Amino acid sequence: LLLADFQSQRSDFAAAFATLKNAEKMVGRRYEIFRTSALVELRRNNFKEAARFGEEALKLYDNDIDTHINLVNAYRGLKDYNKAYQLAARAIEIDRNNPRAQGLYAELLAGIQGSTAAANYLQNLINTYPSVTEYRLSLGRIYKNDDKFLEAITALQKLVAIEPTNKEAFEMM
């Protein structure tokens, strides 16, 4: 599965699917194979298939945080924000301390309840966990998407002060 993940990172999707097919022959239907298939499809921007593989993985094991995060991204790609929001909320139920799940939840919250509610939610998390940079990155995204560029730059500058090598923060600024 790690090989398929690596191959898909290098955009060798045919090799990644061949690796996954071999893994399925060896061990049968396992949620890890479906989860990795969903990740490969996400990297191909094939959101419909990513959602299908992710749902199959959830049928086999409902408490996998990575599967939920992959599904959130797939449903965001399909523009089904209500389903993505439900899955993000479920991811937080599974692991309340997962920064990726919290960030995705806040970004979806911005679309549903507004950027102010999402920013307040993230600010509470930042006050509680000031060294977790993912919260500041999500806050910057929310402000940027709401055209609040000064607030976005401020949030991202605070992130860079904590983690000077954060490439995504520099790209967003």
Side-chain angles (χ1 to χ4, degrees):
L1 298 178
L2 290 174
L3 178 59
D5 184 18
F6 173 75
Q7 290 165 329
S8 71
Q9 286 176 6
R10 300 187 51 85
S11 298
D12 190 356
F13 300 114
F17 282 116
T19 301
L20 290 167
K21 193 171 277 295
N22 286 338
E24 189 173 9
K25 286 179 187 173
M26 291 171 55
V27 296
R29 290 175 45 95
R30 303 217 15 189
Y31 82 92
E32 295 97 337
I33 293 171
F34 287 109
R35 178 186 64 204
T36 306
S37 298
L39 181 61
V40 171
E41 290 293 359
L42 272 175
R43 289 183 179 146
R44 282 181 47 186
N45 289 326
N46 186 354
F47 302 116
K48 186 175 180 182
E49 284 301 304
R52 187 178 68 80
F53 281 124
E55 294 291 349
E56 284 295 318
L58 283 186
K59 287 178 188 174
L60 297 173
Y61 182 58
D62 185 35
N63 289 328
D64 182 53
I65 191 78
D66 291 326
T67 301
H68 280 83
I69 290 171
N70 288 343
L71 272 171
V72 167
N73 289 322
Y75 282 111
R76 283 175 76 180
L78 292 171
K79 301 195 182 335
D80 187 349
Y81 299 112
N82 289 327
K83 181 72 171 171
Y85 178 78
Q86 292 169 359
L87 287 161
R90 175 70 178 122
I92 290 174
E93 286 177 22
I94 294 169
D95 184 2
R96 189 147 201 69
N97 296 318
N98 187 299
R100 287 186 307 154
Q102 291 282 8
L104 284 171
Y105 176 80
E107 289 174 32
L108 291 162
L109 186 65
I112 294 172
Q113 293 183 10
S115 64
T116 304
N120 290 338
Y121 180 80
L122 281 172
Q123 199 57 56
N124 287 336
L125 289 171
I126 290 169
N127 293 340
T128 307
Y129 307 104
S131 63
V132 179
T133 58
E134 287 87 353
Y135 300 146
R136 294 179 193 276
L137 189 62
S138 292
L139 184 61
R141 267 193 216 107
I142 288 168
Y143 283 141
K144 181 182 158 229
N145 291 341
D146 201 34
D147 294 336
K148 296 179 179 177
F149 298 114
L150 291 176
E151 291 91 338
I153 289 172
T154 302
L156 294 170
Q157 285 173 337
K158 289 178 182 177
L159 185 156
V160 171
I162 296 168
E163 187 181 325
T165 59
N166 192 307
K167 181 180 172 183
E168 201 170 350
F170 280 112
E171 288 175 352
M172 209 181 309
M173 284 198 281

